[in-house]
């Protein structure tokens, strides 16, 4: 009876974490098909549009490590629940936003709420699953990532028709609150080590990454004095952060983890996946809309060739040899992502639009397996008591990578102009492919060192 109850509790935990993770990605994709409606409704400037797109990943990137530290110190359950309720509250702010400034603030806060979900969700799964069951649970978590990216743009498009762009945020607030209530009982208790929180480190990291991502967002509008100032501020703030983390008793990221080759390899691979395949696939709807005149909803449906397959392909990982380590799964799936990215070169000027599908399908299969392998590697590469920190570092790297990759791809495509759209597209494919290739090389190198005990 006790074992049955434990299994039921573990199953409920997995369902809640998976749904919340899916929701976080729905929040991420919300503006993809509603940006035009937001622009018309709130008279958004070009800069404000960029901030609406980047606000959520900015909040997530700067909040993930802090949320991870809170999870390890104050409890993953409490931090996860706080993330859900902050997502609900910030979505209300976005739904009621009277102007661009309030909407941007709401999007950043949505990112901070999602950080609590993403940082501690995988740690909660690791708390109730072990061994082969953890591998299966990580596949479900990875499928939730893909499902969020797949259904997010479609949900936003449908709610746009029903109640305008605000309806999507009302729905996110409602679902977040419902999950917050449902999660209160089944989630496993975790009290943390009650160590003192590194508040100053959190502030420095948030400010440093905020300045960096702000510069990457603003650079779409040109290399201005403010961009240079933001980059300089970012370097200074992050340098001070690193110096501080070496001295405080309970840092939000233990720099000693970077002496672990397996941790560095998993983190580098997560960054490369964000800057590589995730960034490039995010740009596919833009290219389809501009080159073929597709509507946003049709482009979002076409993107299912990648995102929909990403949602289900983690379950195909069970057909891989059981002896294949999580590191080798990462390398194999990154090679598949690279092949998918390069297949998008088939989409040329004058070619039919459906030639985008070979690249989408191959990248979708590989990316789904990659998400699961990275999730498992993130937990395995750190001590058990630092599972939330390891997961947070992995997701921070992914969000940072996607922000950088999207910024670079946007600049390359925009700089080419409408007449040179495909030239910019090719440049974006090659740039993001280089990120993927570099991630594979570094993952192999650090994985080899870890296997050798170095």
């Amino acid at each position: 009876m006790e074992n049955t109850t434990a299994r039921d509790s573990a199953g409920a935990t997995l369902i809640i974490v998976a749904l919340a993770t899916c929701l976080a990605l729905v929040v991420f994709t919300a503006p993809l098909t509603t940006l035009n409606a937001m622009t018309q409704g709130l008279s958004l400037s070009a800069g404000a549009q960029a901030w609406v797109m980047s606000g959520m990943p900015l909040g997530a990137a700067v909040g993930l490590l802090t949320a991870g530290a809170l999870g390890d110190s104050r409890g993953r359950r409490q931090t996860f629940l706080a993330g859900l309720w902050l997502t609900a509250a910030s979505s209300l702010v976005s739904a009621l936003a009277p102007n661009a400034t309030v909407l941007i603030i709401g999007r950043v806060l949505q990112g901070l709420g999602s950080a609590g979900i993403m940082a501690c969700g995988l740690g909660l799964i690791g708390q109730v699953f072990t061994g082969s069951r953890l591998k299966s649970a990580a596949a479900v978590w990875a499928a939730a990532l893909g499902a969020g990216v797949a259904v997010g743009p479609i949900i936003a498009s449908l709610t746009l028709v029903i109640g305008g762009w605000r309806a999507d945020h009302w729905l996110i607030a409602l679902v977040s609150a419902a999950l917050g209530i449902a999660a209160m009982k089944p989630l496993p208790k975790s009290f943390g080590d009650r160590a003192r929180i590194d508040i100053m480190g959190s502030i420095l990291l948030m400010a440093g990454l905020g300045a960096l991502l702000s510069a990457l967002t603003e650079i779409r509008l040109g290399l201005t004095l403010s961009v240079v100032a933001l980059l300089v501020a970012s370097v200074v703030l992050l340098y001070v952060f690193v110096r501080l983390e070496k001295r405080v008793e309970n840092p939000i990221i233990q720099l000693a983890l970077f002496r672990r080759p397996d941790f560095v390899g998993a983190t580098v691979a997560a960054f490369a996946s964000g800057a590589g395949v995730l960034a490039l696939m995010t740009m596919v709807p833009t290219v389809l809309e501009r080159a073929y005149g597709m509507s946003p909803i049709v482009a979002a449906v076409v993107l299912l060739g990648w995102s929909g397959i990403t949602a289900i392909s983690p379950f195909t990982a069970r057909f891989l040899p059981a002896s294949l380590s999580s590191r080798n799964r990462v390398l194999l799936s990154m090679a598949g992502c690279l092949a998918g990215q390069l297949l998008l070169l088939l989409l040329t000027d004058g070619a039919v639009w459906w030639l985008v599908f070979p690249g989408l399908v191959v990248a979708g299969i590989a990316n789904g397996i990659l998400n699961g392998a990275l999730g498992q590697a993130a937990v395995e590469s750190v001590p058990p008591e630092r599972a939330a920190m390891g997961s947070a570092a992995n997701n921070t790297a992914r969000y940072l990578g996607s922000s950088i990759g999207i910024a670079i791809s946007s600049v390359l495509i925009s700089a080419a102009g409408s007449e040179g759209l495909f030239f910019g597209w090719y440049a974006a494919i090659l740039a993001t492919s280089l990120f993927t290739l570099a991630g594979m090389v570094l993952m192999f190198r650090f994985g080899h060192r870890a296997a050798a005990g170095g």
Side-chain angles (χ1 to χ4, degrees):
M1 182 68 177
E2 184 177 345
N3 290 336
T4 301
T5 302
R7 284 196 299 269
D8 291 343
S9 178
T13 296
L14 179 59
I15 292 172
I16 290 171
V17 170
L19 289 175
T21 301
C22 178
L23 179 67
L25 272 297
V26 168
V27 175
F28 175 78
T29 61
L32 294 185
T33 53
T34 60
L35 185 61
N36 289 337
M38 292 178 182
T39 300
Q40 295 173 4
L42 298 178
S43 300
L44 300 180
S45 65
Q49 292 177 49
W51 270 106
V52 168
M53 291 290 290
S54 302
M56 186 275 179
L58 170 63
V62 301
L64 274 164
L65 283 175
T66 302
L70 282 170
D72 288 333
S73 178
R74 297 297 184 265
R76 296 165 197 156
R77 180 178 184 273
Q78 293 87 330
T79 305
F80 182 86
L81 288 171
L84 280 171
W85 287 110
L86 180 55
T87 301
S90 57
S91 297
L92 289 178
V93 171
S94 298
L96 297 170
N99 53 49
T101 301
V102 175
L103 178 60
I104 291 168
I105 291 172
R107 288 289 292 163
V108 173
L109 290 175
Q110 282 179 324
L112 291 173
S114 296
I117 295 170
M118 298 291 288
C120 295
L122 198 56
L124 287 169
I125 290 176
Q127 193 172 329
V128 295
F129 292 96
T130 57
S132 61
R133 295 184 68 207
L134 174 59
K135 185 181 297 185
S136 298
V140 173
W141 178 84
L145 288 175
V149 176
V151 305
I154 297 175
I155 290 174
S157 298
L158 294 176
T159 54
L160 179 64
V161 175
I162 297 171
W165 66 266
R166 298 178 189 272
D168 191 37
H169 296 285
W170 283 112
L171 180 61
I172 292 170
L174 179 63
V175 174
S176 299
L179 284 173
I181 294 172
M184 294 181 70
K185 183 177 180 181
L187 292 184
K189 294 181 179 180
S190 56
F191 299 101
D193 53 23
R194 310 304 296 178
R196 183 177 179 181
I197 299 297
D198 179 19
I199 299 298
M200 183 55 66
S202 300
I203 293 173
L204 286 170
L205 180 64
M206 287 186 180
L209 291 182
L212 174 61
L213 295 179
S214 297
L216 292 173
T217 299
E218 294 297 320
I219 204 170
R220 300 175 186 178
L221 308 176
L223 187 61
T224 62
L225 182 61
S226 62
V227 171
V228 175
L230 284 167
L231 289 173
V232 172
S234 174
V235 171
V236 172
L237 288 166
L238 292 177
Y239 172 77
V240 176
F241 165 74
V242 171
R243 296 285 295 180
L244 177 67
E245 295 305 281
K246 292 180 178 179
R247 302 168 64 179
V248 297
E249 181 179 350
N250 185 38
I252 59 174
I253 177 68
Q254 290 185 341
L255 298 181
L257 290 176
F258 289 95
R259 297 174 187 159
R260 300 172 65 106
D262 50 349
F263 173 80
V264 176
T267 304
V268 167
F271 178 89
S273 73
V277 64
L278 180 58
L280 184 63
M281 296 302 158
T282 301
M283 303 306 300
V284 167
T286 299
V287 174
L288 293 176
E289 291 171 28
R290 293 183 183 180
Y292 298 97
M294 283 188 182
S295 67
I297 182 61
V298 173
V301 171
V302 171
L303 190 63
L304 285 173
W306 169 70
S307 56
I309 292 176
T310 293
I312 61 176
S313 66
F315 300 105
T316 66
R318 69 178 184 271
F319 297 112
L320 295 174
S323 59
L324 204 62
S325 67
S326 59
R327 176 180 70 89
N328 288 332
R329 287 171 187 264
V330 169
L331 288 171
L332 181 63
S333 53
M334 288 187 75
C337 288
L338 178 60
Q341 289 170 253
L342 293 176
L343 280 172
L344 289 178
L345 289 169
L346 293 174
L347 197 65
T348 60
D349 191 7
V352 290
W353 67 265
W354 49 261
L355 283 176
V356 75
F357 278 117
L360 293 181
V361 171
V362 171
I365 294 172
N367 192 61
I369 297 173
L370 175 63
N371 286 339
L374 281 175
Q376 184 180 353
V379 174
E380 291 178 344
S381 65
V382 296
E385 68 275 10
R386 293 301 175 194
M389 183 179 288
S391 177
N394 198 269
N395 283 297
T396 296
R398 194 195 305 262
Y399 274 109
L400 280 175
S402 64
S403 297
I404 292 172
I406 290 171
I408 292 174
S409 298
S410 298
V411 169
L412 290 172
I413 293 174
S414 300
S418 58
E419 295 184 357
L421 174 64
F422 282 98
F423 179 79
W425 173 236
Y426 304 149
I429 291 173
L430 294 177
T432 55
S433 296
L434 285 174
F435 275 117
T436 303
L437 181 60
M440 290 174 60
V441 171
L442 291 173
M443 178 68 172
F444 177 81
R445 177 184 175 185
F446 285 110
H448 181 72
R449 287 179 56 188

